Amino acid sequence: MHPEGHSSHLLGPSEDAVAKCLKCIFFLLFLYSYLPWLNSIAGWAAFHVSCVIVLSFTEYPPPCCVCLSGVCGCCGPLRPRYKRLVDNIFPEDPKDGLVKSDMEKLTFYAVSAPEKLDRIGAYLAERLTRDVLRHRYGYVVIAMEALDQLLMACHSQSIKPFVESFLHMVAKLLESQEPDLQVLGTNSFVKFANIEEDTPSYHRRYDFFVSQFSAMCHSTHEDIETRTRIRVAGIRGLQGVVRKTVNDELQAIIWEPQHMDKLIPSMLFNMQEADEFDRTGHPSSPAGTEREENPAVLAESCFRELLGRAAYGNMNNAVRPVLVHLDNHHLWDPNEFAVSCFRIIMYSIQAQHSHHVIQQVLSHLDTHNKDTPRVRAGIVQVLLETVAIAAKGSVGPTVLEVFNTLLKHLRMSVDFEMGGDSRRTSSASVVSRTKESEERIVQNAIIQTIGFFGGNLPDYQRAEVMMFIMGKVPVDEAPSLDTAKIGQLGMKRIQMMLLSSLIMVTSGFKAKTMSAALPPPFLDPLFSVSLMEDSELRQLVLEILHNIIDRHDNRAKLRGIRIIPDVAALKFKREKISKQDVSFMKKHGQQLYRHIYLGCKEEDNVHKNFELLFTALALITIELANEEVVIDLIRLAIALQDMSLANEENMPMFIRCSIMALVAAYLNFLSQMIANPPFCQYVGKVLEMRNLEAPYLLPEHVFREKCPYVRRLFLPCSLG
């Protein structure tokens, strides 16, 4: 019995069948009107047989009865063959499932006559729509199963009209409020997405599916299990849309902002709600069951797949929704999720596209330049992570623009920190101190980011960046219009931040020649800062010089100012000085010696200053010393000792003793480096005498926290 009863017979044959049947019937009626014997019962029987004989030669099978002049009967055999084949796959009881034998017949018919696929699809869509409206979900499941099998079996040009009917039916299921139907439609769409079509579709669009699947990803169903099922189905549907469209050049529309604004936030929403999220950003490999049942894991997998397929021109549209989502959900403070998202992005995209992501984050930082310090610090820390992951040299062609943006925000952070000092009241002191500490977080994050940028640059670009940053350092004593509003303290803060950035950039810098690493446009302002009346600034300048001069990583062996008993045991790495470096020392050596000399007598020097000065002298000896340079360095050491002994400038006793200790430590180092026995013996005797009579002139004693000798006025035992 037909599952729909006699209601299916009200659906007549196609227009071609009706036209042919009507011609035959009109012919028989013509005979009926002129042959009286047809009025008898036998005549009616002859009429019926005639209809069967005539229609048997048409495309459609003969009817068992016709409907004429109010006499009705069963007309099922008048229906087209494809409809009868479709009807036969439905059992009387939907619990019995798809009739496999009849399904095989329908599949064979569709493969043999592919031109009928569109009609089969339209009829199945008609049946499915009616069953959905009547809540006969068992037949809906059977219809979708039949559609899936037809899709998998038929790969011809005629499948495209059939696909339209299929997508229409999937849309009907997704529009339903029943979770089971939504999951059923999603599963069918995913199967369709995995089919590779021979030719692309020029007119097919997936706008509805992107919107519907995105809505499913945000399901708020009361039942947790049902909500999880719907969200997983939505993510799988989006993954199917991506796989179906992203590799098709004619479907570039999927990368348009209106679609990315739905795809990306839907994935991030589910990743964000994970109870235990992999914060490393590295691709994880959960079990297959977990991947299918966990919305967060599935969303991350789809997110990685989408980013991995992004081409050069689509990166901006793919990254911008991530930034907007983080803004809308206030995920910059705290920023753990933001950091993990951008780790995923950087590990998923192609390496040559990394600079697009970096520039997007920089632009986003510009738009948030007036937000709270924690928000800006969160964005900068995300930028730091992206730079750390980016491949070497992938920062892009606009290197100076990137550094300019970072330095601009560094300057703004200092302005925010120092601008309110003059207006600070006692009631707002706690808030101001909190703001200062938060701004320091921003500044440290920017400095670290600049350092990572510099570390990823080739040497020739790093030299340009060094000059660019040095040009931003204010070196004039008189405040300019930019620094007047923040005062001297603010200007010092800016100087320290910029010099700290230079330290990060110069770290690991291995210049082939000193003239390339220290050109006059860089060296002159650097030496100007070294003469400022601030010990911290001078320390930063010396550290920058250490980074540039130390090309063989010998500085770690020189930590601390001390009398080294056996310099040879330290096994310093050194090479013969090149002609270019000899020329550099002839041209700039005296300038370098002068600033070391002047830096030693500053009254605010502390232990660290003398330690850095000793390291600078030792590195010059190792990297740049020939015979002429050694003679100049000895003269410099004797001049420092004479200055301390003469004390024409009334220096504090600690400074005088520290200078004597510095000279003792350096001449001990130099005498062993040049391996001159008489010189070594003389230095050794003086050191023994000092150890006995004036230990406060040795670094091991004078730089102790509470040295009892520094107040003495008599300084014996010079090395001159």
Side-chain angles (χ1 to χ4, degrees), residues 306-323:
L306 177 65
L307 293 170
R309 297 172 183 266
Y312 180 85
N314 301 324
M315 284 305 306
N316 291 342
N317 291 339
V319 176
R320 183 186 55 82
V322 178
L323 298 170

Side-chain angles (χ1 to χ4, degrees), residues 430-480:
V430 176
V431 178
S432 299
R433 285 195 296 270
T434 302
K435 182 179 179 181
E436 285 183 6
S437 62
E438 291 177 350
E439 290 293 346
R440 295 290 177 92
I441 297 174
V442 178
Q443 295 161 14
N444 292 333
I446 293 176
I447 291 173
Q448 290 180 353
T449 306
I450 290 175
F452 275 110
F453 265 113
N456 285 334
L457 292 175
D459 289 342
Y460 73 92
Q461 281 187 320
R462 197 184 302 198
E464 294 179 2
V465 171
M466 288 162 51
M467 293 181 60
F468 180 78
I469 297 176
M470 196 67 234
K472 299 287 184 179
V473 178
V475 294
D476 296 331
E477 295 294 337
S480 62

Side-chain angles (χ1 to χ4, degrees), residues 93 103 158 174 270 537 611 715:
D93 187 357
M103 186 64 215
S158 303
L174 295 178
N270 286 275
L537 292 177
E611 183 178 300
L715 298 179

Side-chain angles (χ1 to χ4, degrees), residues 238-239 241-243 245-246 254-255 259-260 262-265 267 299-311 314-315 317-319 321-322 348-349:
L238 291 178
Q239 193 172 30
V241 173
V242 171
R243 290 178 178 176
T245 60
V246 77
I254 194 65
W255 294 104
H259 298 307
M260 288 291 105
K262 298 174 184 177
L263 277 166
I264 301 295
M267 301 174 193
E300 180 184 341
S301 176
C302 185
F303 188 49
R304 291 182 185 276
E305 183 177 350
L306 177 65
L307 293 170
R309 297 172 183 266
N314 301 324
M315 284 305 306
N317 291 339
V319 176
V322 178
S348 300
I349 63 175

Side-chain angles (χ1 to χ4, degrees), residues 548-614:
I548 296 175
I549 297 175
D550 184 20
R551 293 174 289 187
H552 296 88
D553 299 323
N554 291 312
R555 182 174 32 171
K557 302 174 184 178
L558 293 168
R559 291 298 182 189
I561 178 172
R562 65 192 190 279
I563 303 298
I564 303 175
D566 186 4
V567 174
L570 297 179
K571 297 180 180 180
F572 291 108
K573 297 179 182 179
R574 59 186 306 189
E575 296 178 0
K576 185 179 179 180
I577 185 171
S578 64
K579 294 181 180 180
Q580 294 86 349
D581 290 344
V582 171
S583 176
F584 173 82
M585 291 303 293
K586 287 182 177 180
K587 187 174 182 180
H588 301 285
Q590 296 302 320
Q591 185 182 13
L592 181 60
Y593 306 145
R594 174 176 177 271
H595 284 85
I596 292 177
Y597 179 85
L598 295 176
C600 287
K601 67 178 183 178
E602 294 291 342
E603 295 185 359
D604 60 343
N605 280 339
V606 294
H607 176 199
K608 186 176 181 180
N609 290 85
F610 289 103
E611 183 178 300
L612 294 173
L613 286 166
F614 170 76

Side-chain angles (χ1 to χ4, degrees), residues 61 93 345 407 412 493 529 710:
D93 187 357
I345 292 174
L407 293 176
M412 291 173 59
R493 184 68 182 161
V529 178
V710 294

Side-chain angles (χ1 to χ4, degrees), residues 98 100 103-104 107 144-154:
L98 182 68
K100 295 183 179 180
M103 186 64 215
E104 292 176 359
T107 303
M144 293 307 299
E145 185 179 353
L147 284 168
D148 294 341
Q149 293 190 23
L150 288 174
L151 270 177
M152 299 301 294
C154 302

